[in-house]
Amino acid sequence: MVLSISGVVLLGVICFLFFKKDGLKASHALVCALFGFYLAGSAIAPSITAGGASLASMLSGIKF
């Protein structure tokens, strides 16, 4: 688990730097996709899923 979390943190920092400095290129998108796969397999995945679901329900309740 420790190795998985450190991989998630490392890929997250790399994704942030790609967005901040260079824009997003094809090779950068691959790293971001790997970040997503590692994040989905981590212990924080259920919390992210619940947060995404609550955000979606909050946005669906907004009337324009």
Side-chain angles (χ1 to χ4, degrees):
M1 186 61 185
V2 174
L3 183 62
S4 175
I5 294 297
S6 64
V8 168
V9 171
L10 176 66
L11 288 172
V13 168
I14 291 171
C15 287
F16 176 76
L17 291 175
F18 283 158
F19 279 120
K20 188 77 174 164
K21 298 288 182 184
D22 293 333
L24 188 64
K25 298 175 183 163
S27 62
H28 302 159
L30 177 65
V31 172
C32 291
L34 286 173
F35 173 63
F37 284 119
Y38 278 114
L39 193 59
S42 69
I44 199 170
S47 299
I48 293 172
T49 303
S54 67
L55 179 65
S57 67
M58 183 183 73
L59 291 176
S60 68
I62 296 174
K63 304 284 185 198
F64 290 106

